[in-house]
Amino acid sequence: MPTSRIRRARIAGLAAVVILVVCCAASAGTSGVPVELALRILGSRVPLVGPLFRPGPALAARYDLESAEIIVLEVRLPRIVLGLLVGAGLSVTGACFQGLFRNPLADPYIIGASSGSALGASIGILLSASSGISFLAGPSSSVPLFAFVGAVVTVTFVYALAAADGRVSTDTFLLAGVVVGSFVWAVVSFLMVIAGEDLPKVVMWLMGSLSAKSWTHVAMAAPYVLAGIAALTAMGRGLNLIAMGEEPARYMGLDVERFKKAAIVIGSLITAAAVSASGLIGFIGLVVPHVARMLIGPDHRSLIPVSALGGAAFMVAADTIARVAIPPREIPVGIITAIAGAPFFFYLLRRRKRDGVF
């Protein structure tokens, strides 16, 4: 395990990477904005230190500041902030579930949140095109709500199915999540068959994307993600205890059943909020917590916030690549995270198998 000094240095380095990725994301795109100008535009909006970052006369003479501010602040910044929230939320939930279920392959989608969210979004897309109801006519506002409700209802059903005598077996909960998820995915497949002209919309949502996201999506996801990350960070000691096993955790004074319920509810709400705003984006919640453990060790009191930083950086970097790889077209960011995440997870599997962990 790395020493405290090394851990602090790595956390500071990871925070610097997040800032660098955000600046690059604000600069890169079909309408390129120089990194220095993007940094100054972003910094000029930070309270107290904003005047220090205002673009000087030299930059004002070389570039169209008004257009650059619109591109950075109104087009790219909401997307970047949403990417930070989604990446941080999925990574933190993955770290929590891997410790809670004592399963290194656990991720935020293992308990049915992804399938429920996909079902809700599919229903929302089909209704928005055919119902004629004004509220449903704007898919950008109604689909995330349907996806959020679908995820929450599905996870609640999985929990009720697994609970017996007020207790939830971890193995039963995971098995119920897989079974219910498979059933819900079958319903989603049926909806795709009958979707007709709306099929491309459903497919694009399932592949995950931050395209055309606004501050409305940020406002919807931020309360759940930020409050959830703070709560799971505070629960780090309990996650450390339960990662050793439920019986040792009880002997150490932890109310295991209440703790599991709280962790599952918080993780489910974070996942539902993230997925409803961005669509299905895989591998972040599976891979990033393992990388965070390699950097700072298995202590959840530091693993949770470090996973948040790593997931935020990974998500924004992947979304930037998705925007600039084949302009003017845009690749769904879920494809980028899968292409980058799957080979790295294979490497982790081989390394841990070599070390005798698996």
Side-chain angles (χ1 to χ4, degrees), residues 241-242 246 249-262:
L241 293 178
I242 208 166
E246 295 188 8
R250 285 194 183 91
Y251 291 140
M252 296 293 289
L254 183 69
D255 187 338
V256 172
E257 292 305 319
R258 179 176 294 181
F259 185 86
K260 285 196 298 185
K261 290 178 184 176

Side-chain angles (χ1 to χ4, degrees), residues 3-285:
T3 64
S4 298
R5 183 177 180 181
I6 294 176
R7 287 202 299 270
R8 286 196 295 270
R10 289 177 176 176
I11 292 172
L14 189 56
V17 169
V18 174
I19 296 173
L20 178 63
V21 168
V22 168
C23 291
C24 292
S27 171
T30 52
S31 299
V33 178
V35 174
E36 180 187 359
L37 182 56
L39 177 61
R40 287 187 173 278
I41 291 173
L42 293 175
S44 66
R45 295 302 192 273
V46 178
L48 301 180
V49 299
L52 300 176
F53 287 90
R54 285 177 184 164
L59 280 176
R62 289 163 53 192
Y63 302 105
D64 184 349
L65 287 183
E66 184 177 355
S67 299
E69 286 184 346
I70 292 174
I71 292 171
V72 173
L73 298 177
E74 298 183 16
V75 178
R76 293 178 185 166
L77 187 57
R79 183 170 182 155
I80 293 171
V81 175
L82 184 62
L84 293 172
L85 290 171
V86 171
L90 293 178
S91 300
V92 163
T93 305
C96 169
F97 284 176
Q98 287 170 10
L100 184 69
F101 300 134
R102 299 184 298 284
N103 186 337
L105 298 179
D107 74 351
Y109 301 153
I110 199 169
I111 57 176
S114 60
S115 56
S117 187
L119 178 60
S122 300
I123 294 173
I125 290 171
L126 298 184
L127 287 179
S128 65
S130 60
S131 67
I133 301 175
S134 58
F135 168 71
L136 300 176
S140 62
S141 59
S142 61
V143 172
L145 179 61
F146 274 88
F148 183 84
V149 173
V152 171
V153 170
T154 303
V155 174
T156 302
F157 180 72
V158 169
Y159 186 88
L161 192 65
D165 298 329
R167 303 182 65 176
V168 176
S169 165
T170 299
D171 293 338
T172 304
F173 187 70
L174 292 177
L175 183 60
V178 172
V179 173
V180 173
S182 299
F183 173 79
V184 175
W185 274 118
V187 179
V188 173
S189 299
F190 171 75
L191 293 178
M192 293 174 68
V193 170
I194 65 173
E197 296 179 352
D198 294 319
L199 179 60
K201 297 178 184 177
V202 177
V203 173
M204 285 299 294
W205 192 92
L206 293 179
M207 289 194 290
S209 176
L210 298 181
S211 177
K213 304 303 181 185
S214 66
W215 290 113
T216 300
H217 298 86
V218 175
M220 188 189 72
Y224 297 97
V225 174
L226 296 179
I229 291 174
L232 292 181
T233 301
M235 296 166 69
R237 178 180 177 276
L239 287 170
N240 287 342
L241 293 178
I242 208 166
M244 297 185 298
E246 295 188 8
E247 288 304 319
R250 285 194 183 91
Y251 291 140
M252 296 293 289
L254 183 69
D255 187 338
V256 172
E257 292 305 319
R258 179 176 294 181
F259 185 86
K260 285 196 298 185
K261 290 178 184 176
I264 290 170
V265 169
I266 294 171
S268 300
L269 289 176
I270 294 175
T271 304
V275 174
S276 61
S278 65
L280 301 184
I281 298 175
F283 281 97
I284 290 183

